Amino acid sequence: MKRDEDVAVVGAGLAGCLLACYLARRGRRVTMYERRADPRTGAAERGRSINLALSERGLDALRRIGLAEVALADALPMRGRMIHPVQGELDFQPYSSDQDRAINSISRGSLNQALLDAALAAGVEVHFEHTLVGLAPATGDLRFETPAGDRKATAAVVFGTDGAGSAVRGQLLGHGLLTEELDFLDYGYKELTIPARDGQFALDPGALHIWPRGTSMMIALPNPDRSFTCTLFWPTGGVSSFASLASPAAIEQHFATHYPDVPALAPDLVDDYRRNPVGLLGTVRCAPWQAHGRVCLLGDAAHAIVPFYGQGANCAFEDVVWLDHCLEETGDDWSHALPLFEQRRREHTEAIAEMALDNFVEMRDRVASPAYQLRKQVEHGLERLLPGRYVSRYELVSFSSTPYAEVRQRVRRQQRAVLAAGAVAGAGLLLAGLAAVRRWRR
Ligand code: FAD
């Protein structure tokens, strides 16, 4: 029998598990359905972003329900970027002006497991190997494929937290309740491994390592077992692309030329390269996120973004906090809370989607240029000179909970002010110069 407080959460990934915890805390009877097998019994999927960078927004959401400590138990703080040029010295660029603030490299699997444990402890019922294949948005009737055959369920409210390729979104689309736009990059990603060397990290574990190469880029984040997971971003097709390296010799040659310090650090490079899949990267835009005040998308299902700001999971966690506030304000009235959530949250997810795309160009290209390094030094100088008044975009995104759209506006205002100050200083210098020339002529 369906009761008003029964909520179904489809997708027990990062967003789904955190959402289930928050809803259970509000006294809801939550049932979670997950396509994958129980992670406590099965192996992790290969090549699926093993670690991720958790920053203030995600931590804030976890802290509110006492989960930040467990999430950070094995975290490795990264205080800046370590740039690996093709030739020359490594260059460390701190993320914050005090050189102390860090984003945290954590294991996706461990975080998911910790959230799942917390959901189970809060009384959430979880059904693994349940793949959503049918949904009646008006009634909340659900149909799943399971190893034991089709299974039906029903709920007063249904959340789709089933990721970028969301089946819940697909069902809303099929019922004519939503429109979507999937904007894929012509870049994909492949994960590679730098193992521990003599039991130690082969690179500095206090940094996010970047090999910026213009049309391609590789990054590496440290893992608690002292290995690094590298992610190579490269076009999926064309002359210089994942498709262009067909033989082990070609792979070795490519890395020796473009990433010359990597082959010595990654003995299984060729095997990893050949075995690991190429993942797709894209932005999901859809509207509306909710239907009938009964079905709602959240996290990547509603607004997947490219990973270049390390914000997808952080943003999904923040969604949960914002939804919780909407429930609080509406006295847990779903029909008001769900549209209010979308109305408030949408502009911010659109802003981070745009900033994440911008950051791709910055990471793969600009970070290596002297002009960029100078700009960063000026920026950190301004931050120290005008504490709290000038704050870089990176710091506002990663180390604050300032809503994303406000970050974008504030950064534009700061840039205009700096340009105006530069113009005034330039004009002042010009006038002084002209006066000096006049004096000299006399
Ligand atoms: P997902 O994590 O995708 O979870 C969806 C869940 O739904 C899965 O468990 C899936 O099995 C399940 N599911 C799917 N379909 C069905 C179905 N039909 N029925 C039932 N269950 C289903 N974010 C950061 O914050 N920091 C980072 O550093 C970062 N790095 C990234 C690096 C890469 C290469 C990529 C690709 C992404 C990165 N992200 C990062 C983004 C982050 O991974 C996502 O934003 C985050 O996982 C979204 O969580 P989610 O729960 O919405 O979706």
Side-chain angles (χ1 to χ4, degrees):
M1 195 186 64
K2 178 166 67 186
R3 297 190 312 196
D4 255 11
E5 70 266 24
D6 285 347
V7 180
V9 174
V10 180
L14 298 177
C17 288
L18 187 71
L19 175 66
C21 291
Y22 267 73
L23 293 177
R25 219 175 46 136
R26 299 195 74 81
R28 300 287 156 166
R29 268 179 30 141
V30 185
T31 309
M32 216 165 17
Y33 300 93
E34 167 58 45
R35 180 179 63 182
R36 288 172 298 157
D38 187 336
R40 290 163 296 188
T41 56
E45 283 175 71
R46 195 176 171 85
R48 186 172 184 271
S49 139
I50 289 166
N51 51 22
L52 50 80
L54 187 65
S55 49
E56 176 52 26
R57 291 164 203 271
L59 283 171
D60 175 61
L62 294 166
R63 224 178 268 129
R64 286 167 190 264
I65 54 166
L67 290 175
E69 218 164 282
V70 57
L72 285 181
D74 285 327
L76 291 154
M78 301 178 290
R79 293 195 160 72
R81 297 165 169 164
M82 186 72 83
I83 308 299
H84 294 239
V86 179
Q87 284 175 331
E89 298 289 295
L90 300 185
D91 176 32
F92 180 74
Q93 302 176 356
Y95 282 133
S96 65
S97 53
D98 61 10
Q99 316 219 344
D100 207 35
R101 292 183 164 195
I103 56 174
N104 301 285
S105 176
I106 55 160
S107 149
R108 173 191 287 274
S110 307
L111 178 61
N112 212 152
Q113 187 60 56
L115 292 175
L116 182 62
D117 289 344
L120 289 165
V124 173
E125 205 177 301
V126 187
H127 298 283
F128 291 101
E129 298 186 270
H130 276 57
T131 303
L132 182 99
V133 289
L135 165 67
T139 59
D141 291 333
L142 305 145
R143 192 160 61 79
F144 298 94
E145 271 174 7
T146 79
D150 272 16
R151 209 198 124 187
K152 290 187 175 154
T154 188
V157 175
V158 177
F159 279 97
T161 49
D162 49 348
S166 171
V168 174
R169 194 178 72 236
Q171 291 291 323
L172 295 178
L173 189 69
H175 283 86
L177 292 167
L178 159 155
T179 56
E180 70 173 11
E181 193 191 316
L182 312 180
D183 196 358
F184 287 104
L185 288 188
D186 46 13
Y187 279 74
Y189 71 94
K190 188 187 276 280
E191 294 203 332
L192 305 165
T193 304
I194 293 179
R197 198 161 51 184
D198 303 327
Q200 299 303 320
F201 285 106
L203 296 169
D204 180 351
L208 187 153
H209 294 259
I210 308 186
W211 288 257
R213 297 293 183 264
T215 53
S216 68
M217 165 177 92
M218 190 162 81
I219 63 170
L221 274 71
N223 296 312
D225 67 359
R226 304 191 173 193
S227 67
F228 279 82
T229 302
C230 307
T231 312
L232 174 65
F233 297 96
W234 209 14
T236 46
V239 184
S240 176
S241 71
F242 284 116
S244 65
L245 300 186
S247 67
I251 297 166
E252 276 170 13
Q253 181 61 48
H254 180 79
F255 279 89
T257 309
H258 299 283
Y259 302 92
D261 56 341
V262 174
L265 298 168
D268 295 331
L269 182 65
V270 172
D271 277 356
D272 277 357
Y273 187 94
R274 299 187 87 188
R275 265 209 311 259
N276 288 349
V278 175
L280 297 178
L281 297 166
T283 305
V284 169
R285 298 181 184 87
C286 68
W289 292 345
Q290 64 84 40
H292 306 302
R294 177 192 284 281
V295 181
C296 185
L297 302 172
L298 186 143
D300 273 16
H303 49 67
I305 59 178
V306 294
F308 306 110
Y309 233 118
Q311 283 294 309
N314 286 286
C315 175
F317 284 178
E318 200 175 57
D319 278 359
V320 175
V321 174
W322 283 49
L323 175 75
D324 195 53
H325 288 159
C326 293
L327 284 167
E328 190 67 36
E329 277 176 49
T330 57
D332 286 70
D333 175 348
W334 294 109
S335 63
H336 286 105
L338 298 184
L340 183 63
F341 166 66
E342 175 170 3
Q343 184 201 323
R344 288 191 178 161
R345 190 75 181 134
R346 178 176 287 282
E347 65 168 321
H348 303 296
T349 61
E350 286 172 358
I352 188 60
E354 186 188 303
M355 290 190 280
L357 283 164
D358 281 358
N359 219 39
F360 186 28
V361 185
E362 177 159 325
M363 285 175 83
R364 72 169 202 248
D365 209 356
R366 290 189 209 132
V367 284
S369 82
Y372 175 87
Q373 289 161 19
L374 181 67
R375 202 192 88 201
K376 274 285 146 197
Q377 282 165 16
V378 170
E379 213 168 43
H380 287 332
L382 283 169
E383 286 178 286
R384 282 191 292 270
L385 206 64
L386 306 166
R389 290 178 57 206
Y390 186 97
V391 186
S392 73
R393 185 172 80 167
Y394 192 88
E395 290 204 39
L396 288 167
V397 168
S398 301
F399 304 133
S400 86
S401 302
T402 307
Y404 292 118
E406 287 175 29
V407 170
R408 197 174 47 182
Q409 278 163 8
R410 178 169 171 176
V411 168
R412 285 182 187 150
R413 273 201 312 273
Q414 288 181 171
Q415 281 167 348
R416 278 198 299 270
V418 170
L419 281 175
V424 169
L429 279 175
L430 187 66
L431 288 175
L434 286 173
V437 169
R438 272 193 221 110
R439 275 200 304 277
W440 175 71
R441 280 198 175 141
R442 271 190 231 126

